[in-house]
Amino acid sequence: MKVEALENLKMIKESARDFAEAHIRPHVMEWDESQHFPMDLFHKMGKHGFLGVIVPVKYGGVGLGYQEYITVIEEIGKVCGSIGLSVAAHNSLCTNHILMFGKEEQKQKYLPKLASGQWIGAWGLTEPNTGSDAGRMRCVAEKDGDYYVLNGAKNFITHGKSGHVAVVIARTGELLDSHGMTAFVVERGTPGFSGGKKENKLGMRASETAEMIFDNCRLHKSQILGEVGDGFIQSLKILDGGRISIAALSVAIAKGAYEAAVQYSQERQQFGKPISKFQAICFKLADMATKIEAAELLTRKAGFLKDKGETSTTISAMAKLYASEISCQVANEAVQVYGGYGYTKDFPVEKYYRDAKLCTIGEGTSEIQKVVISRQLLKK
Ligand SMILES: Cc1cc2nc3c(=O)[nH]c(=O)nc-3n(C[C@H](O)[C@H](O)[C@H](O)COP(=O)(O)OP(=O)(O)OC[C@H]3O[C@@H](n4cnc5c(N)ncnc54)[C@H](O)[C@@H]3O)c2cc1C
């Protein structure tokens, strides 16, 4: 890595860490308990550049790459997984979809607002009956002159209620035709578009997850991202990048849990000595540290390939699969190191344990990552 790139990385790491300590850490449990999505915090994060890390400077972003983006997600996610998840969904799903596939006017209109945190973005692919099997979606956009009339619902959408703008993928062609889906950019306040049920979740509780409902919502053809029929293929490309951010988030949660466990194991005394002196405990720490190191290397490699512009489908899926699975294992062991105290809300590890699980589900489950990886391997 060049000296300038290393300096950028160091600067953004310190800036994200300081921000998370000052503005997120003091509120983590309060937001978690009340399921409060802190919109004001997002406006503040925008001012620090965390919501436009990969957006070019000419559109109001910071103009950096995936290495820096991974670093931001790691520093924020280490303090609060929910905020890390929302930053990831905003940056690599909604914003990146407009950046990668939007027309110049669309980029000029939306990217500065999204990169500055003035607006928060959502991205809707999942529907109540079609999650892993997204190609079978039922949300339909029917052509009517220069307009498309959108009907249906998207669920489990990060910022589905509060997002100011959403990228929505809907059917414009035949069922099961991978070229039968189109991506639209839809602003909140458009007649026929509303937020529905907000989910009450196990973890990631400060990240809003809600339904988006479309009832005869008329969208002008200028709201299409890219070409008619390209929406599904675009989504797969967006998920290649998005999965790197979920891998980074998984590493972040694992690091948070591990660091807490290391500290506690040196403070907690049983049988006249710190519990870290018991081999059963320090071997757990050794396993946790090794898994985190491996997951981070895989995640960084995926980011490196993405920055080089190489296809990263397999490595992104591998990073997401491995990092999310070890994140759950590490958080589980952290609770074990804390014993009974780990099971209470007075200590941070129960939250890491709850938050980590989402990483094996969002942006494609672990099983789907194996489908993606094995398909790529067998194609060769
Ligand atoms: C907190 C949260 C935030 C989210 N944010 C967004 C968002 O912003 N935008 C968005 O579009 N979506 C979002 N999602 C949706 C998420 O991507 C889906 O939940 C996920 O893709 C799984 O879909 P599903 O829940 O319908 O599960 P299903 O697809 O019903 O899967 C159920 C089980 O069956 C398994 N399974 C399914 N198909 C196969 C197969 N072919 N082979 C083997 N096993 C299989 C799955 O792995 C899983 O274990 C979010 C979800 C959550 C919980």
Side-chain angles (χ1 to χ4, degrees):
M1 216 179 222
K2 291 197 181 116
V3 177
E4 193 194 343
L6 275 174
E7 273 169 11
N8 278 341
L9 209 54
K10 190 167 168 265
M11 237 163 47
I12 202 149
K13 186 180 174 80
E14 282 170 6
S15 157
R17 189 179 51 209
D18 293 349
F19 182 91
E21 289 300 333
H23 300 283
I24 302 176
R25 174 101 54 206
H27 308 287
V28 168
M29 282 318 284
E30 170 203 331
W31 293 338
D32 181 73
E33 298 259 291
S34 62
Q35 292 213 87
H36 172 64
F37 173 62
M39 182 63 91
D40 286 352
L41 177 86
F42 281 79
H43 297 321
K44 264 189 218 150
M45 283 198 289
K47 292 196 178 105
H48 282 74
F50 305 144
L51 301 188
V53 186
I54 53 177
V55 174
V57 174
K58 69 172 176 168
Y59 300 120
V62 186
L64 296 171
Y66 261 73
Q67 292 303 333
E68 291 81 7
Y69 177 42
I70 287 170
T71 303
V72 167
I73 298 286
E74 272 195 23
E75 291 306 316
I76 291 175
K78 212 156 62 167
V79 174
C80 180
S82 299
I83 306 301
L85 176 64
S86 275
V87 171
H90 172 93
N91 271 293
S92 42
L93 297 181
C94 178
T95 306
N96 197 35
H97 202 134
I98 297 172
L99 176 64
M100 279 181 72
F101 300 108
K103 299 173 191 83
E104 190 52 35
E105 311 93 82
Q106 292 167 329
K107 291 186 198 183
Q108 285 182 16
K109 182 170 179 190
Y110 294 111
L111 293 178
K113 288 193 171 87
L114 288 164
S116 65
Q118 190 187 340
W119 279 17
I120 300 305
W123 188 79
L125 178 69
T126 306
E127 296 182 4
N129 292 309
T130 57
S132 304
D133 191 11
R136 213 179 280 261
M137 66 176 59
R138 307 240 178 97
C139 199
V140 170
E142 226 173 307
K143 196 166 182 330
D144 179 18
D146 281 349
Y147 286 82
Y148 284 79
V149 184
L150 189 53
N151 277 296
K154 296 282 170 184
N155 77 331
F156 292 148
I157 306 306
T158 305
H159 318 143
K161 243 175 145 80
S162 301
H164 300 87
V165 64
V167 171
V168 180
I169 296 89
R171 174 161 305 290
T172 46
E174 294 302 312
L175 190 72
L176 293 181
D177 177 2
S178 61
H179 293 281
M181 287 156 274
T182 301
F184 296 87
V185 59
V186 190
E187 290 181 29
R188 194 167 64 177
T190 305
F193 171 29
S194 57
K197 179 186 168 222
K198 176 176 165 173
E199 302 297 340
N200 182 3
K201 309 195 297 294
L202 168 74
M204 301 292 196
R205 289 168 59 81
S207 175
E208 180 190 271
T209 312
E211 235 180 338
M212 297 195 299
I213 298 164
F214 302 95
D215 180 10
N216 287 322
C217 177
R218 287 176 74 77
L219 304 174
H220 190 259
K221 63 182 183 187
S222 62
Q223 288 167 263
I224 291 172
L225 290 165
E227 301 300 324
V228 173
D230 283 355
F232 189 65
I233 312 294
Q234 290 173 2
S235 298
L236 298 183
K237 291 183 180 156
I238 291 302
L239 286 170
D240 281 349
R243 284 170 184 159
I244 303 174
S245 69
I246 300 300
L249 182 59
S250 308
V251 170
I253 294 170
K255 277 189 182 174
Y258 163 76
E259 286 170 13
V262 168
Q263 191 186 334
Y264 185 81
S265 71
Q266 290 167 316
E267 290 165 359
R268 175 71 174 169
Q269 302 255 340
Q270 289 293 282
F271 299 93
K273 53 184 169 184
I275 58 169
S276 60
K277 299 280 183 202
F278 300 121
Q279 197 179 61
I281 298 295
C282 66
F283 275 21
K284 277 192 202 305
L285 299 174
D287 284 340
M288 289 155 87
T290 307
K291 287 174 181 173
I292 291 170
E293 196 68 24
E296 189 165 26
L297 279 171
L298 203 45
T299 306
R300 291 277 167 197
K301 181 173 177 184
F304 173 74
L305 291 180
K306 181 89 179 133
D307 280 340
K308 272 182 53 182
E310 289 187 21
T311 311
S312 58
T313 306
T314 311
I315 197 83
S316 301
M318 285 174 171
K320 201 259 183 198
L321 168 65
Y322 184 73
S324 64
E325 290 293 335
I326 71 97
S327 190
C328 292
Q329 293 162 19
V330 168
N332 181 35
E333 288 294 56
V335 173
Q336 198 66 20
V337 168
Y338 270 74
Y341 296 98
Y343 205 64
T344 72
K345 289 185 185 281
D346 294 337
F347 291 89
V349 286
E350 64 83 32
K351 181 172 183 294
Y352 289 122
Y353 179 78
R354 289 184 285 113
D355 288 349
K357 188 61 200 156
L358 180 271
C359 300
T360 68
I361 297 169
E363 300 203 26
T365 61
S366 288
E367 291 77 12
I368 292 303
Q369 302 315 309
K370 291 184 192 179
V371 171
V372 171
I373 297 163
S374 54
R375 257 192 210 144
Q376 296 292 324
L377 298 179
L378 296 170
K379 216 160 71 177
K380 285 181 186 162

